[in-house]
Amino acid sequence: MELNILLFGITKDIVGQQKLRYEMPQGATVPDLVEQLKKSYPKLHNLNSVLVAVNNEYGQKQQELHESDEIALIPPVSGG
């Protein structure tokens, strides 16, 4: 299945674009996606955490992804 992923902050800088079309197998979960993205973009390993939002809600640990989902990578937030 092909997923549409929105990227923000440092994740956008690492990947080099704001939107990404990414191929994953049927039945892939949120952790599967993060693992594959880190393989494709090794600099993502340098981030303390990357949150995944699915359909405007934080993705659950074993949440299965679907091609119609709106997915966003949210980088760690810093500042004060």
Side-chain angles (χ1 to χ4, degrees), residues 3-75:
L3 301 174
N4 292 308
I5 303 169
L6 301 174
L7 302 139
F8 298 94
I10 190 74
T11 62
K12 179 177 84 171
D13 296 339
I14 290 170
V15 173
Q17 53 194 20
Q18 187 174 354
K19 294 180 182 179
L20 177 66
R21 295 177 69 84
Y22 200 79
E23 190 70 30
M24 290 293 292
Q26 288 295 121
T29 63
V30 168
D32 296 334
L33 175 62
V34 172
E35 181 181 327
Q36 288 303 311
L37 286 170
K38 286 182 176 181
K39 286 181 182 178
S40 295
Y41 303 95
K43 289 186 179 181
L44 289 174
H45 282 285
N46 297 337
L47 302 178
N48 291 336
S49 66
V50 175
L51 296 175
V52 177
V54 180
N55 300 322
N56 297 315
E57 295 184 11
Y58 288 117
Q60 302 301 309
K61 192 164 189 145
Q62 291 303 318
Q63 182 174 354
E64 190 172 314
L65 299 171
H66 303 93
E67 202 163 46
S68 60
D69 288 338
E70 179 180 274
I71 300 168
L73 285 191
I74 304 168

